[in-house]
Amino acid sequence: MARRAKGMKMRGLLIRLVLAVLSAMSVLSPAIAQPRPPLVLAAASLQESLSEAARVWAAQGHGRPVISFAASSALARQIAAGSPADIFISADTDWMDDVQRRGLIRPGTRSSFLGNRLVLIAPAAARGGIAIRRGFPLARALGTGRLAMADPAAVPAGRYGKAALTALGVWPSVQGRLAKGDSVRAALALVASGNAPYGIVYETDARASRAVRVVGVFPAASHPPITYPIAVLTTARSPDTIGFRRFLTSPAGRAIFRRFGFSAR
């Protein structure tokens, strides 16, 4: 009887051990079945288009990527400071070059896949347009107001804007009358709210807001080509990183960005 009781006790312990293991597996299995989705650092001008691309990717059965939008300069600094992100999409090549020089890009994963146009915007209720050509009277059109721009010293949209105004001979007349934003979306908001009579943003940003309208388009030759490079970072850990990057640069992915006004390279 004692031997039998001892055997039953051992079997009971074994069953409890098996149940504990199964319980632990049930807790862990969702994490195993749902790997961490990619963390993407992306230029502010990609807000609507990239969010839609992430939605479509998730609808295909993948974990929805987590996206942090900001000025490319701020994102590049975050990466240099050790941000554990998977993918970086910049609004120009200079900040991507900076990250690459630091050895923070996975070799063979960088490519340029989007383009954009630079436009002059005004509040939606404003009348008339401005013919953008050499020496056009932007300073006079501003009146007592200021020109909203992303910071030309750091933000790609601001650098493109300064280059265009310089090429057209207008920069000296407005450089002291800027309302600088820390991103292109900040410049957009200044015009949308009526705090600035004019602003320089990407065409896709203007399309994203009903509170502004395009009053002029800058000639493509007046500034460097607006190019969006994408790359996988050396800190990438999500198993979906390469798949999501491949989706973004695929014909299906590029079609999403074209719907939002980008040109696909």
Side-chain angles (χ1 to χ4, degrees), residues 168-199:
L168 296 169
V170 177
W171 179 249
S173 66
V174 299
Q175 63 178 327
R177 303 180 59 188
L178 302 181
K180 299 177 185 178
D182 60 5
S183 72
V184 68
R185 286 305 172 97
L188 176 71
L190 286 169
V191 180
S193 63
N195 287 313
Y198 292 99

Side-chain angles (χ1 to χ4, degrees), residues 97-262:
D97 289 344
D98 181 76
V99 173
Q100 188 163 15
R101 279 193 297 268
R102 296 174 186 272
L104 300 174
I105 289 177
R106 190 177 293 179
T109 65
R110 175 177 174 172
S111 65
S112 295
F113 79 119
L114 296 175
N116 213 330
R117 294 203 301 173
L118 200 65
V119 299
L120 185 68
I121 59 170
R127 300 290 182 182
I130 295 181
I132 297 181
R133 57 181 182 270
R134 183 161 186 83
F136 73 102
L138 180 57
R140 187 168 70 233
L142 288 172
T144 59
R146 290 181 173 270
L147 176 66
M149 286 179 62
D151 186 356
V155 184
R159 289 208 297 257
Y160 291 127
K162 179 182 177 180
L165 294 175
T166 300
L168 296 169
V170 177
W171 179 249
S173 66
V174 299
Q175 63 178 327
R177 303 180 59 188
L178 302 181
K180 299 177 185 178
D182 60 5
S183 72
V184 68
R185 286 305 172 97
L188 176 71
L190 286 169
V191 180
S193 63
N195 287 313
Y198 292 99
I200 297 177
V201 299
Y202 299 125
E203 182 181 28
T204 52
D205 294 295
R207 290 178 57 163
S209 174
R210 294 182 179 178
V212 305
R213 68 183 187 87
V214 174
V215 295
V217 179
F218 286 90
S222 68
H223 57 80
I226 300 173
T227 302
Y228 289 71
I230 182 174
V232 173
L233 300 172
T234 55
T235 51
R237 295 294 179 270
S238 171
D240 272 349
T241 297
I242 297 299
F244 186 55
R245 181 201 173 282
R246 187 180 299 121
F247 169 71
L248 293 177
T249 58
S250 71
R254 292 172 195 266
I256 294 172
F257 290 101
R258 277 197 294 268
R259 290 209 312 268
F260 286 85
F262 291 91

